[in-house]
Amino acid sequence: KQEVTQIPAALSVPEGENLVLNCSFTDSAIYNLQWFRQDPGKGLTSLLLIQSSQREQTSGRLNASLDKSSGRSTLYIAASQPGDSATYLCAVSQNYGQNFVFGPGTRLSVLP
Amino acid sequence: EAGVAQSPRYKIIEKRQSVAFWCNPISGHATLYWYQQILGQGPKLLIQFQNNGVVDDSQLPKDRFSAERLKGVDSTLKIQPAKLEDSAVYLCASSSYYRGTGELFFGEGSRLTVL
């Protein structure tokens, strides 16, 4: 049974810092890994999707990497801003079209 | 392109009452998911539909929860009777099965409070 963990559970940084969020999964036979952002009281917004054949994806100040063999993904946020404050969740699917299993999220606070 | 639509956004009921949530996925998305998210946790799958057929409902408490997706488009999730522990956000998501990458898109969620 796939399990996803995220470390740290919470993180507080000053504005302008570069930061890394971690995601680990127990079964390396994944098809997709997706990073989401969730603002308080809102749904999940997709940030980046990495397919199993890819090693990284980039969107603006965000870069996500995937190391299937070690069961890890990292989300790198460059030059953090207060508007980046949110909970970041990662999720993995075992096969195309299958359910995504979610981690508990990392709550990020970027202080002005 | 319109996103995933959900209603109502908020619902407060007393235990043992019933409630229903509605979801309209992104146009053309064959796969629809209902997730339950308890405060401070990641979403947990309740049920997955492929068109109007059930793919996975192994974690759906079938004694009180039911869901349907008539005509392979809209879906309704019902809870009857509700328990205190059902207080959570119910998230609907969809993805395109026949083309694309399998990326998941979520609605805003329906927040349920059971008193």
Side-chain angles (χ1 to χ4, degrees):
Chain A
K1 178 186 171 188
Q2 178 74 270
E3 292 184 2
V4 181
T5 55
Q6 292 186 247
I7 294 173
L11 181 64
S12 185
V13 300
E15 181 177 5
E17 272 203 8
N18 302 323
L19 58 100
V20 173
L21 307 180
N22 296 292
C23 171
S24 297
F25 44 94
T26 54
D27 186 343
S28 62
I30 65 168
Y31 185 86
N32 278 340
L33 184 144
Q34 196 167 350
W35 281 94
F36 296 87
R37 166 187 174 135
Q38 187 173 33
D39 293 288
K42 300 286 189 178
L44 281 69
T45 300
S46 178
L47 297 174
L48 291 164
L49 175 82
I50 308 179
Q51 296 179 284
S52 60
S53 59
Q54 300 171 324
R55 292 192 64 85
E56 66 177 341
Q57 284 284 352
T58 298
S59 175
R61 294 183 293 108
L62 305 179
N63 175 275
S65 66
L66 173 64
D67 183 345
K68 277 182 56 178
S69 61
S70 66
R72 295 182 62 183
S73 175
T74 61
L75 179 66
Y76 175 84
I77 303 177
S80 59
Q81 303 170 359
D84 294 331
S85 297
T87 297
Y88 290 80
L89 299 105
C90 71
V92 297
S93 67
Q94 303 294 129
N95 285 297
Y96 183 74
Q98 270 197 355
N99 165 42
F100 278 76
V101 177
F102 282 80
T106 294
R107 190 171 68 253
L108 173 66
S109 297
V110 180
L111 307 174
Chain B
E1 179 181 77
V4 178
Q6 289 189 246
S7 68
R9 286 295 316 279
Y10 306 94
K11 190 74 176 179
I12 300 174
I13 61 173
E14 295 189 351
K15 60 182 179 182
R16 291 187 291 273
Q17 287 188 326
S18 63
V19 63
F21 302 112
W22 172 83
C23 172
N24 181 245
I26 292 174
S27 178
H29 279 194
T31 308
L32 185 148
Y33 309 81
W34 283 101
Y35 286 88
Q36 179 192 58
Q37 186 178 28
I38 294 172
L39 189 64
Q41 299 180 17
K44 183 188 80 172
L45 180 74
L46 291 174
I47 189 167
Q48 177 185 349
F49 291 95
Q50 180 72 21
N51 296 307
N52 59 354
V54 175
V55 175
D56 184 354
D57 64 356
S58 58
Q59 299 183 86
L60 185 74
K62 298 181 183 66
D63 58 334
R64 299 183 299 106
F65 286 65
S66 64
E68 61 182 8
R69 190 183 184 195
L70 300 176
K71 300 180 182 178
V73 181
D74 293 6
S75 178
T76 302
L77 175 71
K78 296 180 181 178
I79 307 174
Q80 181 179 13
K83 293 185 174 181
L84 296 177
E85 59 261 36
D86 298 333
S87 294
V89 177
Y90 291 86
L91 295 161
C92 180
S94 70
S95 66
S96 173
Y97 183 83
Y98 298 108
R99 52 186 169 87
T101 58
E103 187 174 1
L104 207 57
F105 297 92
F106 279 87
E108 290 288 333
S110 295
R111 180 177 297 276
L112 174 64
T113 301
V114 182
L115 303 176

